Amino acid sequence: MKLHFNNRRIGSLALVLLFFAGSSGKVTAEPRNETLDKIVVSATKTPHTLGDVPVAAEVITREELLEKNVRTVQEALEKTTGLTIEANSGSYGDKGHVSIHGLEFRHTLVLIDGQRILGGHQNAIDIQQISIEMIERIEILKGPASALYGSDAVGGVINIITRGTPDSPEFSGSLGMGSRGTTIGTVSAGTGTGKLGGRFNYTYRESDGVDKEFDPYYEHILQGTLSYDLSETMDIDLKPYYSYSEMSKQDRFQERYGLNALFKWEPDDVSTARIRGSLFDYHHWTEDRATDYVLDDYELEVGYSRVLFDKHLVSAGYEFWQEEREDESKSLFVDQNLHSFYLQDEIDLSPVVIVLGGRLDAHEKWGEEINPKASVMYKASDALTFRASVGTAFKAPSLLKLYGDWMMGPYLVHANPDLEPEKSLGYQAGAEYAFSKDVTGKVSLFRNELEDLIDTRIVRMGPPPWDMYYENVDEAMTQGVEVNLDARLNDNISARAGYTLLDTENKLTGKELVHRPDHKFFAGVDFRIPVADLRMHIESAYTGERWDDEDNTIRLDDFWIWSASIAKEFGEYTEVFVKVDNIFDEKDIDDEYDIDGVEFLAGVRVDL
């Protein structure tokens, strides 16, 4: 890779040097660390702190989102090592996809409070449908996770935990306006009285996008939480959701609604029972009804965890999942059911913790999938922790690929009811060291081997329509290294840096996978100036060279993106903010449609 050190790159190195300057000096390991104290549940479906969780995970908190004035989930995730964000996903109406460790976007399972959500092109989930204002934290689980979560968790899981209900009245609102005709407005309110509480949020977004003749859209999002404490040991939460978006220049519309009901019972100090029932409906149509389909998901999950013999935390559960597709434009009306059972044992042999688990998914058409996973954590000291895991995962073929015959431009697309699930085998190993209560470093290695990937085979004989077939033919590999450093230099300055090295291969051709950068790097610094009630954030992100074609003949240049934000508090309840992204006006990047020059957003937030 060719690197020319211009002013931007020198500036990036300055950020890194500042980071190391703050984290150097005498090292004294202390037991508590702010980063490691974050709570994570998704890694094992049981609560742990990040420092003690036996399976590697990451957490982005609400406080971190507010600190950086983050406005979308894409923006929240894009500075996480190992993740790739597609900020604008093309004409289909999607605004953001996420992939993990170089895998396809469809290989990331996206959940809200454990519930599967719908809506996105090519089996990938559009993550913009979630309002930042309702997020309590984002839990990120990298690597194969089908041992707990079943289909889709090939690259990992993004579980977005929404806010609970407050104990007293709360209100907040914000309005931001900026380049590309962007407007983002939010209103949130909540209250609680004894056993009963509620919180609701409304978010409105509109933007002209990059191309004013093609991209303009607006969307409404309504989310909420209703909670009721049935007793000291039992509680229930209801999480309603609704969104509507319209791309007026394309006459394209999307509507979603969902309900997630969560019941928790803690009969004693060593056991927890959970029941979750949910539905999610997604409708996508165009004005001419050339596209017009509805997807429905229905889920029921029953789980139970209990400590046995002081050393075993055993979790078991059953899950039912029904998918439906009503596709008027393709005359397709199909459904499928999946019954699943999972079992996991967290074995505490301090300083070693071993996690053994597996899941059986039984499908009425393609049979059973069994996916095991084993993880081990070794706490060499209060400061040093090692983790390793190995597991398998799968991605079930979609209803459309299994059963839908339809026309796509000049192609007659043929269903293949004999498709098998895509499968993977993944490995991870890493070390985490707390240099002090304010400085943490992590290094991890990963490898994923995939087989039975579904691809298309096109037969062109004579004039169109030509034939397109789905087949399990592809094999691929991704592997790499991640490095993360987090430091609080003092009460008013904190810094983060992360680096990802990625190597990929299409095993059938021996070529690298397209649009996977060999190197990615980011660094960011947060400043607080208490006497002026000011917050500032500065960050730089580097994306390395990558191939633009499957034959590996066209190499795309590397690039840097610099961004900055500042927020000023006025009194106890009001804050004014300004954000500038892509300060040095990068544009015309072939595989980054949404990067098209400087962007800015300015606004005000009121929090009562």
Side-chain angles (χ1 to χ4, degrees), residues 544-585:
E545 296 177 349
R546 57 242 176 259
W547 295 109
D548 195 36
D549 63 325
E550 293 182 352
D551 293 329
N552 290 182
T553 61
I554 303 173
R555 192 73 164 165
L556 298 178
D557 292 335
D558 56 347
F559 63 91
W560 291 83
I561 299 293
W562 277 77
S563 301
S565 66
I566 185 169
K568 163 72 175 173
E569 295 177 6
F570 291 91
E572 187 176 353
Y573 307 113
T574 306
E575 179 181 273
V576 174
F577 61 88
V578 178
K579 294 185 63 177
V580 182
D581 292 320
N582 194 6
I583 294 172
F584 294 101
D585 201 36

Side-chain angles (χ1 to χ4, degrees), residues 22 34 437-439 486-495 528:
E34 184 174 309
K437 68 181 181 64
D438 295 320
V439 182
D486 290 86
R488 181 168 292 279
L489 309 183
N490 57 43
D491 289 341
N492 298 313
I493 304 176
S494 60
R528 276 189 171 274

